[in-house]
């Protein structure tokens, strides 16, 4: 009887097929957990006609690097990550350059505002003496004080913009 059961289990094609289906299902579970290998691509011109060099890898040469990663979501292949040097790094470098320029000019503008505020404060000090003598009207001095207040407000806004710009760079 034991010999008959052994032969039955060994020679029954349906049982053998079902055994391999279990192994196949386990393999599919393991494979589903694995990510596909990323694809790294590099493109480069062989000849740079601008400076007449072959395989120019310097700043004048043109090269494109891209990395792609396919990730399975709910059993469907979706290309989730696709990164190209031309599409990501160069615009970021341009944006960084633009922020540096913006911060530089904000600092220069702040210096101009500082000089203007100091000059206007000195003018108002001199005008106070002239008003005491009766040479300048109160309305003229009040107009310049309002202008100074507006100039200080603009300077404060410029200082806030500069702080924001420096914060973005850090």
């Amino acid at each position: 009887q034991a010999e008959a059961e052994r032969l039955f289990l060994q020679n029954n094609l349906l049982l053998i097929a079902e055994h391999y289906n279990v192994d196949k299902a386990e393999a599919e579970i393991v494979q589903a957990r694995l990510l596909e290998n990323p694809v790294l691509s590099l493109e480069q011109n062989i000849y740079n006609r601008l400076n007449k060099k072959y395989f120019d890898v310097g700043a004048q040469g043109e090269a494109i690097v891209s990395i792609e990663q396919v990730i399975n979501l709910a059993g469907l292949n979706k290309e989730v990550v696709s990164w190209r040097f031309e599409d990501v790094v160069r615009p970021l470098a341009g944006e960084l350059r633009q922020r540096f320029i913006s911060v530089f000019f904000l600092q220069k503008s702040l210096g101009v505002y500082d000089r203007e505020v100091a000059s206007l404060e000195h003018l108002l000090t001199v005008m106070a003496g002239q008003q005491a003598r009766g040479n300048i009207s109160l309305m003229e001095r009040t107009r310049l004080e309002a202008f100074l207040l507006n100039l200080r407000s603009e300077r404060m806004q410029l200082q806030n913009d500069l702080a924001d710009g420096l914060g973005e760079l850090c």
Side-chain angles (χ1 to χ4, degrees):
Q1 185 182 10
E3 181 68 23
E5 281 184 29
R6 186 183 63 78
L7 287 174
F8 175 74
L9 293 175
Q10 186 178 7
N11 295 328
N12 189 334
L13 293 178
L14 290 175
L15 286 176
I16 293 171
E18 199 58 40
H19 173 72
Y20 285 117
N21 278 341
V22 170
D23 290 344
K24 180 182 169 191
E26 288 175 0
E28 286 176 354
I29 290 171
V30 170
Q31 190 173 7
R33 290 184 189 143
L34 300 176
L35 292 176
E36 294 188 28
N37 290 334
V39 176
L40 174 65
S41 303
L42 172 66
E43 296 178 34
Q44 181 164 9
N45 285 347
I46 294 175
Y47 181 72
N48 187 346
R49 59 185 169 79
L50 299 175
N51 59 7
K52 298 179 178 25
K53 288 185 180 178
Y54 287 94
F55 299 105
D56 186 12
V57 294
Q60 300 296 322
E62 182 177 331
I64 298 173
V65 178
S66 67
I67 298 174
E68 295 180 9
Q69 175 68 53
V70 176
I71 299 174
N72 290 329
L73 297 175
L76 302 173
N77 284 341
K78 297 288 182 191
E79 193 170 307
V80 174
V81 179
S82 179
W83 176 83
R84 288 177 52 103
F85 182 80
E86 293 289 322
D87 298 336
V88 176
V89 174
R90 288 202 177 156
L92 287 177
E95 184 180 330
L96 183 63
R97 184 180 321 113
Q98 196 171 26
R99 286 184 182 172
F100 270 119
I101 290 170
S102 174
V103 164
F104 172 77
F105 282 111
L106 283 171
Q107 288 173 335
K108 291 295 182 185
S109 297
L110 197 59
V112 170
Y113 270 87
D114 287 340
R115 287 191 302 273
E116 289 296 317
V117 165
S119 177
L120 198 54
E121 286 173 344
H122 177 70
L123 179 64
L124 281 170
T125 304
V126 172
M127 284 184 87
Q130 290 297 320
Q131 183 193 1
R133 293 185 189 147
N135 295 334
I136 295 176
S137 70
L138 179 62
M139 188 172 82
E140 187 64 27
R141 184 170 165 221
T142 306
R143 185 184 65 80
L144 285 176
E145 285 175 348
F147 182 68
L148 177 64
L149 194 63
N150 187 34
L151 204 58
R152 284 180 178 160
S153 173
E154 289 177 10
R155 183 188 174 284
M156 186 63 68
Q157 181 61 42
L158 195 65
Q159 217 169 10
N160 290 340
D161 292 345
L162 179 63
D164 290 343
L166 288 173
E168 288 176 357
L169 286 177
C170 295

